[in-house]
Amino acid sequence: MSESRLVVALDLTDKDRALEIARSIGRQVFAIKINWPLVLAGSGSIIGEIARVSRVVCDFKIADIPNTNSIIAKFARDQGAWGIISHSFTGLESLRSVVEASGDTKVFSVVAMSHPGSDLINDNYRKLMDISERAGVYGYIAPGNKLSDLSEIRKRTKKTIMSPGIGSQGGRASDAIKAGADLVIVGRSIYESADPVTAAEAINEEIAKAVEQ
Ligand code: U5P
């Protein structure tokens, strides 16, 4: 079977449960994404702990001045993060500081979001992609539940697109893949499930079928 395209978001504040899920699904997913809830519940060392069982994407949506951005990005890199998510609306200097401090850790910039009310960002994806290209990002975050935005962004880049908005936010993994996502992010539909391993497997199968079509 080809490699999974599933990135599981573990937005839990129960560190033990998060580690339990990470250890059980680590080998069947592309990566595990961690966000502020899990880091604030424990410490940044959770990045390294999860990195032992899976690639880790740090979804810190970095959005500050260049110096602060560099400190955050370097921390994630030093803990062993495979990827890091940054905002781009703060401008070229801020995003470039993330790219420079990340070293081999891959930087994904947010150019459109999945939630209601994200129009301010989504209406500006062209400008945000321009900033991101100049900063040298590795890939993009674009919504898997807003397929017209996702496919417009796909048309403008060959870079890796990672898409949230699947399951609890109404999107379908297969639709997001067909609209141009390379990787799909799924959180609650997996970590709130009674059986996260089976839930992740079902999404892997749905994606594999969509890729074959
Ligand atoms: N996320 C979004 N939408 C975005 C950018 C990031 O949902 O536009 C993140 C959320 O912060 C969460 C995950 O960590 O992706 C989606 O979780 P869920 O809705 O699948 O539970």
Side-chain angles (χ1 to χ4, degrees):
M1 200 180 123
S2 57
E3 188 176 24
S4 173
R5 294 181 179 216
L6 174 60
V7 175
V8 177
L10 288 183
D11 295 327
L12 298 153
T13 51
D14 179 342
K15 186 187 156 193
D16 293 337
R17 177 69 182 144
L19 276 172
E20 187 186 10
I21 297 175
R23 288 182 185 128
S24 66
I25 62 173
R27 286 185 211 296
Q28 70 184 110
V29 302
F30 180 85
I32 289 176
K33 183 176 86 64
I34 63 178
N35 199 333
W36 292 115
L38 187 53
V39 172
L40 293 173
S43 85
S45 64
I46 189 76
I47 300 168
E49 287 180 70
I50 295 183
R52 288 194 206 114
V53 296
S54 168
R55 294 185 187 95
V56 174
V57 176
C58 289
D59 185 359
F60 295 159
K61 294 195 188 66
I62 305 175
D64 216 310
I65 62 167
N67 183 62
T68 311
N69 285 358
S70 300
I71 296 168
I72 298 168
K74 187 174 179 310
F75 181 85
R77 179 193 82 186
D78 290 349
Q79 291 287 320
W82 174 84
I84 187 158
I85 298 176
S86 180
H87 268 301
S88 52
F89 67 78
T90 43
L92 181 59
E93 285 75 9
S94 284
L95 185 56
R96 191 176 272 154
S97 70
V98 176
V99 172
E100 284 171 359
S102 292
D104 291 339
T105 300
K106 292 157 179 44
V107 177
F108 291 80
S109 73
V110 178
V111 291
M113 295 190 74
S114 61
H115 60 296
S118 55
D119 322 25
L120 189 62
I121 287 193
N122 297 19
D123 289 348
N124 286 292
Y125 73 83
R126 288 183 195 80
K127 277 187 201 157
L128 298 175
M129 288 183 83
D130 181 47
I131 290 168
S132 302
E133 284 305 311
R134 290 164 65 201
V137 301
Y138 177 85
Y140 290 101
I141 304 295
N145 58 348
K146 296 183 182 181
L147 299 177
S148 59
D149 286 347
L150 173 56
S151 45
E152 285 301 316
I153 290 163
R154 174 79 287 165
K155 275 185 213 156
R156 287 172 169 76
T157 185
K158 290 190 164 53
K159 291 186 173 171
T160 303
I161 299 179
M162 209 191 293
S163 294
I166 308 303
S168 305
Q169 295 182 62
R172 285 188 57 79
S174 46
D175 292 341
I177 292 287
K178 285 181 203 159
D182 298 290
L183 300 167
V184 294
I185 298 170
V186 183
R188 286 163 285 179
S189 308
I190 291 177
Y191 69 74
E192 286 179 351
S193 146
D195 182 353
V197 173
T198 304
E201 195 46 52
I203 296 170
N204 272 336
E205 280 169 22
E206 181 189 331
I207 294 171
K209 277 193 196 133
V211 170
E212 277 167 22
Q213 280 172 8

